[in-house]
Amino acid sequence: SAAVVTTMARTRYVAAITPDDPVATWRWRSPNRALCLYAIAVGYVVIGFATRERGVLTALWFLSGLLFLVQGLEASGRLDRLDVELGGARTSRELRIHEAGLVAAGPIGTRLVPWTDIGSVALTDEELVLERPWIDLRCDRSAIDDPEGVRAAIEQRRNRARLDCA
């Protein structure tokens, strides 16, 4: 219950400090996140097989592995294609550029990355990379309609935030 309350509070906080309309919005597909979630799913299934003689906990290991597999499918964008084929509609993860920072919104919650936390912005052939102190924020370039425009908008907001802090 504490995690739910924390997520709700963070989402409401982000909504309160970003009342402006976003400059740009795009679907967020992270290539590294999917690979990590697939590895965790395989690990849970292996643990499930290793403990199958023990009884009740085996089902929990398998269900946890299935949950991580579905999260990996969502992160890679494969679940999006399945939804289109089945005619379903779900809330996807997206990134939005606001004056206060970059908002990462998803089906579970919303986070704000202030412009001061982003070191540099690089646009490669495959992805948009926003360097941060601990973990870089990466997004498949194919998920962005206008990658150059998005990079320019991010740079403009970052420079404006630096001038405001100085």
Side-chain angles (χ1 to χ4, degrees):
S1 62
V4 171
V5 171
T6 302
T7 302
M8 286 174 42
R10 183 177 39 242
T11 301
R12 288 183 182 200
Y13 169 74
V14 170
I17 63 172
T18 56
D20 56 327
D21 290 331
V23 174
T25 302
W26 68 95
R27 293 177 60 101
W28 180 27
R29 286 198 311 258
S30 174
N32 297 337
R33 183 171 184 266
L35 184 61
C36 180
L37 291 169
Y38 288 145
I40 292 171
V42 168
Y44 273 103
V45 170
V46 167
I47 291 172
F49 275 120
T51 61
R52 69 180 182 274
E53 301 296 326
R54 307 238 200 265
V56 177
L57 291 178
T58 302
L60 295 177
W61 287 111
F62 283 121
L63 289 175
S64 299
L66 182 64
L67 175 68
F68 280 107
L69 178 65
V70 169
Q71 289 294 315
L73 290 171
E74 178 191 11
S76 68
R78 289 189 177 103
L79 209 56
D80 297 338
R81 288 190 288 270
L82 181 65
D83 277 348
V84 169
E85 290 172 10
L86 297 178
R90 4 177 237 106
T91 309
S92 65
R93 298 171 52 186
E94 67 179 14
L95 293 176
R96 299 188 300 248
I97 299 174
H98 288 272
E99 288 296 324
L102 188 69
V103 174
I108 296 175
T110 304
R111 292 182 182 267
L112 176 73
V113 179
W115 295 122
T116 55
D117 287 356
I118 296 175
S120 67
V121 180
L123 189 61
T124 66
D125 291 338
E126 294 90 25
E127 58 191 12
L128 172 69
V129 181
L130 304 168
E131 293 182 7
R132 298 189 308 168
W134 290 97
I135 298 173
D136 294 344
L137 188 61
R138 298 175 179 271
C139 181
D140 279 346
R141 186 178 178 143
S142 62
I144 307 170
D145 291 334
D146 179 18
E148 287 295 331
V150 166
R151 190 186 73 63
I154 290 172
E155 287 291 349
Q156 180 185 25
R157 296 302 182 284
R158 280 185 55 237
N159 293 335
R160 192 180 302 164
R162 282 191 197 148
L163 292 175
D164 289 344
C165 291

